[in-house]
């Protein structure tokens, strides 16, 4: 079966996913009969591209990574200037929502997911804001449309957590959990233990691309709090906002 | 939806499952609309029971655990004297195969699974022999019948392994694995480290019910070998028999 994919947000995570899909292309076709094309891409700083017949993924990756706009590769009879227009005109049946997280409201990601589900797409997101601020609404909307609202990579990335509970332990009841759920602060603390200053350790994490220029989301505990909120909301059926999580940063 | 269940093998594992199902009864109905009755039980030493309208599970547990036969609770117009007859006459739509493991051939468990699938049942087994000696045949037979051949608990018990790969990481490619996959030898070695003799540690494991009277399956590494064979056969798509696994026991 052929799938048309739209990428809303095309940062590090989304581009790694695009590369992974290209690398797995042959295996997906051989083992699952799945082929795909990317028909829409929305970026924060590098423009928008739509082509219902398929965009050149390699070219899109190259343009963004060399700091250029992807608008040049679009091939559509209308001008496309917003993420919502990419969703509306991409003819995609699967939307990946990977725009930056908004801890307070989950927007505009929730808007993107809503638009895609309403257009009959299945949705997968790495955006934690959609889970803690829109879980019930978006899950109900997906169900009403007979589609899926998926968010596996919001917590623990490559380690399946939500799908393991959903598919492999459906009757289990989660009572508590503990663990390290923010890699950046974990690395910072380990490097400080080994003798670096807080500032040196933060710079190291920024250097390897896992901490933002403004590292507050990680070092003030917001990322960990929103992940705890997502786990409680979904796996413990207890709606929780990051603001309600008892939070201690590591600024010292 | 109502499910009729048959238990082939009714030892510690199967009885724990029966108790767990009874404990989860309300949650299964509330969250999944699932109700169930047990319509057939085959034991190794305590006889056979069939009632297509449902057996009294508590009574079956009590009889077996006080060393009595369950034949008294059967309610069927034919005498039932074999596991295959339980399968054939139970009217079950789901069969749990939990007879003792046979490292060399996987029998008679493979026969039980074959009979149940041919009768249109879905099958779940904790018997590793069915996986290493019958995986391809039984998976193909289940597929042909539009049913499932499931075996999650054969390796790592309560920790989902096969279903996590199947449902949550379908495109992942397993290249290697390492780990402790036999609890009994792990406990024996830990207790020997703490000062006990091999014999004392074995007796402890027998006392808490995790080692057999003849502990060779564990201490000679056969249990670990058959688990390695099951993981390789299923997750690495490389058929392997326990006899082919490089094996070192802990008899010292």
């Amino acid at each position: 079966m052929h799938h048309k994919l739209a990428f809303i947000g095309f940062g590090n995570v989304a581009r790694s996913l695009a590369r992974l899909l290209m690398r797995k292309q042959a295996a997906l076709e051989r083992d699952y009969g799945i082929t795909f094309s990317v028909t829409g891409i929305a970026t924060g700083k590098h423009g928008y591209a739509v082509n219902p017949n398929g965009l050149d993924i390699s070219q899109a990756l190259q343009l963004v990574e060399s700091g250029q706009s992807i608008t040049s590769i679009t091939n559509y009879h209308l001008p496309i200037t917003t993420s919502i227009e990419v969703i509306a005109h991409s003819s995609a049946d699967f939307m990946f929502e990977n725009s930056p997280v908004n801890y307070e409201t989950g927007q505009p990601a929730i808007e993107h997911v809503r638009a895609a589900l309403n257009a009959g797409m299945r949705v997968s997101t790495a955006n934690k804001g959609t889970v803690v601020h829109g879980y019930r609404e978006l899950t109900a909307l997906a169900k009403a449309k007979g589609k899926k609202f998926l968010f596996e990579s919001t917590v623990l990335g490559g380690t399946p957590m939500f799908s393991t509970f959903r598919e492999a332990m459906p009757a289990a009841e989660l009572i508590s959990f503990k663990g390290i759920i923010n890699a950046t602060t974990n690395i910072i603390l380990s490097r400080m233990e080994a003798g670096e200053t807080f500032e040196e350790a933060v710079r190291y994490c920024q250097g390897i691309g896992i901490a933002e220029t403004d590292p507050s989301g990680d070092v003030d505990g917001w990322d960990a709090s929103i992940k705890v909120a997502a786990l409680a909301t979904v796996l413990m059926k207890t709606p929780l906002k990051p603001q309600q999580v008892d939070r201690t940063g590591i600024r010292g």
Side-chain angles (χ1 to χ4, degrees), chain A:
Chain A
M1 191 174 175
H2 188 78
H3 295 283
K4 294 184 168 192
L5 314 177
F7 283 84
I8 307 305
F10 207 55
N12 277 325
V13 167
R15 295 202 306 277
S16 296
L17 174 61
R19 258 192 223 93
L20 182 63
L21 283 169
M22 285 167 70
R23 189 154 64 77
K24 291 271 183 184
Q25 206 158 8
L28 287 171
E29 182 160 11
R30 186 192 62 223
D31 297 343
Y32 300 95
I34 290 173
T35 58
F36 64 89
S37 52
V38 174
T39 58
I41 301 175
T43 77
K45 295 175 194 149
H46 305 279
Y48 307 87
V50 165
N51 185 345
N53 297 317
L55 294 159
D56 183 328
I57 312 177
S58 307
Q59 213 184 336
L61 289 167
Q62 218 173 354
L63 286 168
V64 169
E65 280 161 16
S66 61
Q68 297 172 72
S69 166
I70 57 168
T71 310
S72 60
I73 64 166
T74 205
N75 179 358
Y76 198 62
H77 58 92
L78 290 172
I80 303 287
T81 57
T82 66
S83 295
I84 294 290
E85 285 171 2
V86 172
I87 294 167
H89 299 290
S90 62
S91 305
D93 52 82
F94 203 112
M95 190 269 273
F96 293 109
E97 213 297 332
N98 291 307
S99 68
V101 64
N102 175 326
Y103 297 109
E104 280 85 38
T105 69
Q107 291 296 4
I110 291 175
E111 232 9 280
H112 298 157
V113 176
R114 211 182 269 148
L117 289 171
N118 276 321
M121 301 178 195
R122 286 161 296 155
V123 170
S124 177
T125 182
N127 190 310
K128 294 174 269 286
T130 62
V131 180
V132 300
H133 295 289
Y135 177 63
R136 287 198 176 181
E137 180 210 330
L138 299 173
T139 302
L141 178 57
K143 199 176 174 189
K145 295 284 177 182
K147 302 295 171 188
K148 296 267 186 199
F149 168 53
L150 301 166
F151 43 82
E152 184 59 81
S153 54
T154 53
V155 181
L156 295 182
T159 310
M161 170 61 64
F162 298 115
S163 54
T164 297
F165 271 83
R166 191 178 62 235
E167 310 288 351
M169 308 197 288
E173 195 182 343
L174 181 64
I175 292 168
S176 73
F177 60 87
K178 63 176 179 180
I180 294 165
I181 57 175
N182 179 278
T184 304
T185 50
N186 191 40
I187 293 171
I188 292 172
L189 292 174
S190 301
R191 293 183 76 90
M192 288 172 73
E193 231 172 41
E196 285 188 9
T197 66
F198 174 74
E199 289 73 20
E200 286 167 344
V202 168
R203 271 199 300 278
Y204 170 81
C205 287
Q206 289 165 332
I208 62 169
I210 64 162
E212 306 287 331
T213 314
D214 171 6
S216 11
D218 292 322
V219 301
D220 292 336
W222 284 110
D223 178 75
S225 297
I226 201 168
K227 283 171 179 164
V228 166
L231 290 170
T233 300
V234 179
L235 297 184
M236 302 172 88
K237 301 182 180 73
T238 306
L240 196 69
K241 299 284 175 272
Q243 297 88 332
Q244 297 171 283
V245 175
D246 192 4
R247 179 180 55 81
T248 308
I250 62 159
R251 279 188 206 265

